[in-house]
Structure formats: structure tokens, C-alpha cells
Amino acid sequence: MPIKLSAGLLLSLLLTACASGFGDEQVTIVTASNGQEFSGANCTVQTSSRVWNVLSPATLTIPASGDLRVVCSKAGYRTSELRMPPIGQTSGSNVGVGMGGGSGGVGVGLGFSLPVSSGGGNYPPRILVNMSPS
């Protein structure tokens, strides 16, 4: 019974850690023209898992999931698009847990892989979208 309880507790802790938003980052979207920042551009921010429609400047909590695409438009300016691949390197780390029984040969095993990020984040904390007047 203690082995089942320990394995269940370990599994529930691991699942909770995976659902906690590990890897979410705060990113601020800013628009500018000729080096001068301005507000009020309609921007669509998109990752492989989610889409946001915001008014610049805007700060979002973005899950690290692939390329980031930002498209901004405002009257009097050309629509601008920015695509940004993740800047951090991500690699998998294998972790294994095992428990064995005596001569009866009873055992429990669990294996999983966790993403480990090296360096800063996947996206810069501030993204500047340059827009040209039309």
C-alpha cells in the first residue's frame, strides 16, 4: 500500500507542475514610427497555441510555444508584420523513478521528460513593431 500511495503522490505532483504555466513569459508589444513610439495600433499577437488582439502598448503573458507573430495596423500607417523565432534553446531532460520489491519481483517504474530552458526566455521582454506612414 505505501508504494501505491508514494507513486500516486509523485505522479500528482508532476502533473501539477506541468499545468502550472512553466515557461510563460511577460512580453510587451510596442509600436513606433521613425524612432518615435506611439499608442493605439491594433495588434494581433499569435503563437502556435494562442491568439491575442490588443491595442499597443500591451503587456501579455505568453506561453513559450514556437514562433511569435505580431501584425499591427493603424489608420495612416502601413500594416506591419513581425515574425520572431524563439531565442532560448530548449532541450529535454530525462528523469526516471523506480521502486523494486524483494524476491517477489514486484516493482513500480515511472519515466518522463521535462523541458529545460537554457539562457533567457523564448522571446525578448519588449518587442518593437516599426510602422511606416502610408
Side-chain angles (χ1 to χ4, degrees):
M1 208 53 155
I3 291 175
K4 288 182 183 178
L5 180 60
S6 297
L9 179 60
L10 178 63
L11 184 58
S12 66
L13 288 173
L14 291 173
L15 291 175
T16 301
C18 290
S20 67
F22 178 75
D24 288 357
E25 302 177 47
Q26 289 230 319
V27 176
T28 300
I29 307 297
V30 180
T31 49
S33 179
N34 296 322
Q36 296 294 315
E37 291 185 14
F38 64 87
S39 61
N42 294 306
C43 298
T44 300
V45 181
Q46 182 178 357
T47 65
S48 60
S49 63
R50 195 145 175 220
V51 176
W52 298 263
N53 291 306
V54 297
L55 204 58
S56 70
T59 300
L60 304 167
T61 300
I62 299 178
S65 60
D67 288 357
L68 183 67
R69 179 177 179 244
V70 182
V71 178
C72 295
S73 62
K74 183 174 180 171
Y77 295 90
R78 293 182 181 161
T79 298
S80 294
E81 178 177 354
L82 175 74
R83 289 181 181 256
M84 182 171 298
I87 56 176
Q89 297 292 324
T90 303
S91 62
S93 174
N94 294 325
V95 178
V97 176
M99 295 178 226
S103 61
V106 176
V108 175
L110 174 64
F112 56 93
S113 178
L114 294 174
V116 177
S117 177
S118 62
N122 283 315
Y123 312 113
R126 188 171 192 268
I127 296 175
L128 179 69
V129 180
N130 285 306
M131 299 181 70
S132 299
S134 55

